[in-house]
Amino acid sequence: MSFKERFGMSPLALISVVFGVFMAILDNTVVNVAIPKMMSVFSATQNEIEWVITAYLLVTGMLTPVSGYLGDRFGQKRIYLLALGIFTLGSALCGLSWSTQSIIVFRVLQAIGGAMLMPVSMTILFSMSKPERRGTIMGIWGIALMFAPALGPTLSGYFVEYLNWRLIFYINVPIGFLSFFMVTASIPKMPARSTERLDIAGFLTSLGGFFCVLYALSEAPADGWGSITILSFLTVGIILLAFFVAIELTAKNPMLDLRLFKRKVFLVSIITSSLLSISMLGALFILPVFLQNSLGFTPLETGLLTLPGAIVTGVLMPISGVLFDRIGARPLGIIGLAIMLVGSILLMGINLNWTFGTILLVYMFRQAGMGLSMMPLSTAGMNDVPRDMVSRATALQNTMRNVAGSIGTAYLSTVMQSQSTSNLITYLQRLSLHNLSQINLTGIPSVFGITSSTQLTSLVGELQQIAFEHGTQAAFVVAAIISVLGFLSVLFIGKKKPPLELAQRGGRSAALVE
């Protein structure tokens, strides 16, 4: 039996779609390490250059909800190729950028394509694959979802240190062209399936609401959650999203069909997947900061430390997909989330004495849990959705995952910073002339005590390191609590059952192709 006969699609079709998604997801993290270099090249401030990242995240979060409608209205393959072309063009222009303003504009263009690539690719693969083999196919697709974010810092660190930072964008161009021609040749035509007009009211309220909320979440760690700007954007965003929910629940043809939440398995899978995203992306932000700021690792060393964890995740993704086809999502979810919970608990004890090898092993162990659980849970939710709602379901699933990841990163960053500052203030308040006269640089009582400003500066620096260590530990405590919630939610996923199409038709559903 050939690959196509067994899985419903050719291996070339699968590889071509995964290539495009991998490239788009990689760009979410590959830019982070190059930010200091961009500041130097463009003579930009921290606040200015941060928009290179913020603009991409905002546009991606804002446009993901409309991807389901566009795929149905114009055809999934056509929209995927359009998105891939826009992303590739945006990448080339980012590499050619000459100023902070130009690279921000080109990142917006890049994000317009990137926002649609993930949900549309998921719809294509889900529609073409056999229902009983979807776990395996989505597990292979999940390699891009899990492996790309962790590979980004390693690749970027190497380019920045040894080659040219512009390669982080230029590398997308040949991959984009290759993926474009592969998709054109291997994916059959997927005709439009809807002639309904765009839900304008839903589109505008979602656009404004997600922009305000994501902007507030992006800037909150720097400005503080009590900032008038942050509170204003959050308030406006929540109001607009409340209107958006009301519109979508009453509209005849909603842009983002929130009524899908009535399906238990789909709802539980989204909740659990969102919690996993918060825990994963939050840790992926916290750990590199601690490694570089506290342990003195270079960007490349930091990337190399997280890379083995990404490899473990990438290896386990297709394996978990095959196991999902046989035993369902619940056993894999319970085992995976239990592993992730143990890994999160271990990371709560991270400190300045941890070695490279210790952090590497703990992180790999934690990522193994992610690799076992993420895609089975997502696929179980999609199997609970009617065939004609797959594109809307993938848009909803990816929107929730993006928002959850933004919330998690912002909140864990805030916890880390606020706890570090609070601890440092507490330590400094405990310093007194009597205390200073009783200690020396090694902390051993001494009649000589602190005898110079240099020693005092060194002492304060040590206290800052300890405070930051405790702030990082506090953030991982929150990540562990999120893992507990994820473990509890997966218990409600239910036992393995045939995909909805098989239950309704007694066989394989027709692919959305001509």
Side-chain angles (χ1 to χ4, degrees):
M1 182 182 293
S2 68
F3 185 95
K4 187 172 183 178
E5 291 173 334
R6 186 177 183 185
F7 294 100
M9 61 170 52
S10 68
L12 181 62
L14 177 59
I15 293 171
S16 64
V17 173
V18 170
F19 259 17
V21 175
F22 182 87
M23 179 179 65
I25 300 175
L26 183 69
D27 245 57
N28 284 331
T29 57
V30 75
V31 176
N32 295 10
V33 176
I35 286 296
K37 184 67 175 181
M38 292 183 194
M39 289 178 62
S40 175
V41 171
F42 297 133
S43 300
T45 64
Q46 181 73 34
N47 290 336
E48 291 173 340
I49 206 66
E50 280 180 355
W51 274 98
V52 174
I53 297 174
T54 304
Y56 189 91
L57 295 175
L58 288 176
V59 175
T60 301
M62 290 161 56
L63 293 184
T64 298
V66 78
S67 62
Y69 166 81
L70 293 176
D72 285 346
R73 181 67 180 82
F74 300 102
Q76 303 294 340
K77 179 180 178 180
R78 187 177 301 169
I79 293 300
Y80 184 86
L81 290 175
L82 176 64
L84 189 60
I86 293 173
F87 184 87
T88 303
L89 175 62
S91 297
L93 292 174
C94 284
L96 294 170
S97 57
W98 56 90
S99 65
T100 307
Q101 293 74 22
S102 65
I103 196 171
I104 291 173
V105 170
F106 297 146
R107 281 282 282 174
V108 169
L109 178 64
Q110 191 185 40
I112 292 173
M116 294 182 286
L117 280 175
M118 186 186 297
V120 174
S121 70
M122 192 173 181
T123 301
I124 291 174
L125 295 182
F126 209 85
S127 301
M128 293 182 63
S129 59
K130 290 184 177 182
E132 66 272 17
R133 297 295 183 185
R134 283 175 178 164
T136 304
I137 294 296
M138 298 312 296
I140 296 173
W141 179 87
I143 294 175
L145 182 66
M146 294 292 114
F147 186 55
L151 179 62
T154 306
L155 192 63
S156 181
Y158 180 79
F159 285 159
V160 171
E161 286 193 28
Y162 299 108
L163 297 174
N164 190 310
W165 68 271
R166 295 181 186 271
L167 286 173
I168 65 176
F169 298 113
Y170 285 144
I171 193 174
N172 292 333
V173 177
I175 296 176
F177 273 110
L178 179 63
S179 180
F180 189 94
F181 289 115
M182 289 171 66
V183 169
T184 302
S186 61
I187 302 293
K189 183 179 179 181
M190 307 183 77
R193 299 182 55 253
S194 172
T195 57
E196 303 294 340
R197 297 181 61 184
L198 175 64
D199 174 17
I200 298 296
F203 175 69
L204 293 177
T205 51
S206 71
L207 204 66
F210 282 119
F211 171 81
C212 291
V213 169
L214 292 172
Y215 175 82
L217 293 173
S218 299
E219 297 298 312
D223 294 353
W225 288 95
S227 164
I228 294 178
T229 302
I230 299 302
L231 292 176
S232 299
F233 271 93
L234 273 179
T235 302
V236 173
I238 291 172
I239 292 173
L240 287 174
L241 289 179
F243 278 114
F244 169 69
V245 171
I247 291 169
E248 299 305 278
L249 289 177
T250 56
K252 182 180 178 181
N253 296 291
M255 183 188 70
L256 203 61
D257 198 341
L258 302 181
R259 286 167 288 207
L260 287 170
F261 285 141
K262 292 180 180 179
R263 297 182 171 276
K264 177 190 171 184
V265 177
F266 182 73
L267 175 61
V268 173
S269 74
I270 280 191
I271 292 173
T272 310
S273 297
S274 297
L275 291 170
L276 281 172
S277 294
I278 293 174
S279 188
M280 181 194 76
L281 294 176
L284 200 58
F285 171 81
I286 294 169
L287 196 57
V289 173
F290 180 78
L291 294 177
Q292 294 182 58
N293 291 356
S294 291
L295 299 184
F297 287 11
T298 66
L300 182 58
E301 289 172 335
T302 301
L304 290 174
L305 187 144
T306 57
L307 183 59
I311 294 174
V312 169
T313 306
V315 169
L316 288 176
M317 276 287 185
I319 295 175
S320 67
V322 173
L323 292 174
F324 167 81
D325 290 334
R326 296 180 180 179
I327 64 175
R330 187 177 181 182
L332 293 170
I334 291 174
I335 295 171
L337 280 157
I339 292 173
M340 193 162 178
L341 176 57
V342 173
S344 298
I345 292 173
L346 291 174
L347 283 176
M348 288 166 49
I350 193 170
N351 58 63
L352 298 171
N353 295 320
W354 277 34
T355 63
F356 185 97
T358 301
I359 300 174
L360 177 68
L361 291 175
V362 172
Y363 184 72
M364 288 176 64
F365 179 76
R366 188 175 186 270
Q367 287 300 105
M370 179 70 69
L372 281 174
S373 56
M374 175 61 89
M375 289 317 298
L377 293 171
S378 297
T379 308
M382 293 302 300
N383 275 344
D384 193 41
V385 174
R387 179 172 63 87
D388 59 346
M389 295 299 295
V390 166
S391 61
R392 305 301 176 97
T394 57
L396 181 56
Q397 190 179 81
N398 281 279
T399 298
M400 294 300 295
R401 187 181 290 131
N402 286 340
V403 174
S406 298
I407 292 173
T409 302
Y411 183 66
L412 290 177
S413 173
T414 301
V415 170
M416 181 176 66
Q417 293 181 26
S418 62
Q419 288 296 311
S420 298
T421 302
S422 175
N423 286 324
L424 179 61
I425 292 173
T426 301
Y427 300 154
L428 293 176
Q429 287 175 340
R430 292 176 180 174
L431 286 180
S432 65
L433 291 176
H434 174 73
N435 291 336
L436 292 176
S437 66
Q438 296 299 312
I439 61 174
N440 60 17
L441 290 180
T442 61
I444 301 173
S446 168
V447 295
F448 300 105
I450 299 296
T451 59
S452 70
S453 59
T454 301
Q455 292 177 338
L456 181 59
T457 301
S458 178
L459 174 62
V460 173
E462 292 290 334
L463 293 178
Q464 287 177 325
Q465 291 278 35
I466 296 172
F468 189 70
E469 172 188 285
H470 291 166
T472 303
Q473 292 171 349
F476 277 120
V477 169
V478 176
I481 293 173
I482 293 170
S483 297
V484 171
L485 295 176
F487 180 81
L488 293 176
S489 65
V490 79
L491 299 177
F492 296 93
I493 199 72
K495 297 180 180 180
K496 183 180 185 295
K497 63 180 181 179
L500 187 63
E501 292 86 349
L502 291 180
Q504 290 179 342
R505 299 173 183 262
R508 182 189 172 191
S509 62
L512 301 179
V513 298
E514 286 185 339

